[in-house]
Amino acid sequence: MAKILVTGAGGQLGRQILHLSNNSNGASSVTTLGVTSAELDITDARSVADAVEPGMVVINCAAYTAVDAAESDEATASKVNADGPENLAIACARVGARLVHVSTDYVFDGTATSPYLPQSPTAPRSAYGRTKLAGEEAVLRVLPSATVVRTAWVYTGTGSDFVSTMLRLERERDTVSVVNDQIGSPTYSRDLASGLLELAASPSSGRPILHLTNTGTASWYELARAVFAGAGADPERVLACSSAEFVRPAPRPSYSVLSADAWTAAGLTPLRPWRAALSDALGEVRAGAR
Ligand SMILES: NC(=O)c1ccc[n+]([C@@H]2O[C@H](COP(=O)([O-])OP(=O)(O)OC[C@H]3O[C@@H](n4cnc5c(N)ncnc54)[C@H](OP(=O)(O)O)[C@@H]3O)[C@@H](O)[C@H]2O)c1
């Protein structure tokens, strides 16, 4: 029976992969094991070597994702985002396991005007982006058969993600200002998880880097308006502002739309449009609140 190991299984994406695997019909010939940071620290090379078994598919969802904090703690971010994935690649190479490594749109500088392809030049503008790019490079250097999957703007609608934050602010404030000069593709973690499981179950496409997001584009302002509308609130309560008015420690790419062409060319199913995914996500949030 094929075995999938999900690292960083306590995070939003890892949890969704386990949720989908555990709820797939019992006829599945795959067993999925999730390990949280407490159960497997990917910066610990020996523990990683012990955890990876021959024939396994490892999906690495473990990462240092505090984008702003990384600006003042790049060394820690680098340990998790660069050294950790390298440990996984070494372990997979040693025993003949497959590695699917999740990365980010923040490896790009955001100056493009059309969707980024996997081979588009990278130029991260933040410490987080630099450490994630170093992780991609380490993985593909050690294990050229690995697949790096870049994604973007991931939300679940719970915890402190953007959608959840907008739902909270809708309850707490009359109006909320949101930047309208950063463009990307909002991506529901459950859809992303489903795509990663499809990839893990498919023969390797031989493509080292793939991009996977829900389709369509939005600014954060448009996404916030869609969240308000989906929650039954007036979207006019969302006001547009610029990134210059909302300065944060880490610069964000102003355009980070990722092309799904390579994913589709690999014979994999593209994710649905982001508005349909958001609608389902908000339904899940409502169901969870009942
Ligand atoms: N969220 C986004 O918008 C977004 C966008 C683009 C790409 N991505 C990428 O998508 C992947 C999943 O992100 P996510 O949204 O699920 O992030 P997340 O919710 O922050 O989850 C990351 C997980 O990694 C764990 N972790 C941290 N250090 C670890 C270590 N040394 N060993 C093992 N596990 C460790 C964390 O555990 P603790 O909480 O216990 O530290 C957490 O459970 C990451 O590669 C991220 O870079 C995310």
Side-chain angles (χ1 to χ4, degrees), residues 8 10-14 37 40-43 61-63 65 80 102-105 128 132 151-154:
Q12 69 162 334
L13 178 57
S37 59
L40 178 65
D41 177 351
I42 64 165
T43 68
C61 300
T65 55
V80 181
V102 182
S103 193
T104 172
D105 55 326
Y128 168 74
K132 291 292 292 183
T151 188
W153 290 35
V154 183

Side-chain angles (χ1 to χ4, degrees), residues 26 103 135 146 174 178 235 267:
S103 193
D174 289 340
V178 181

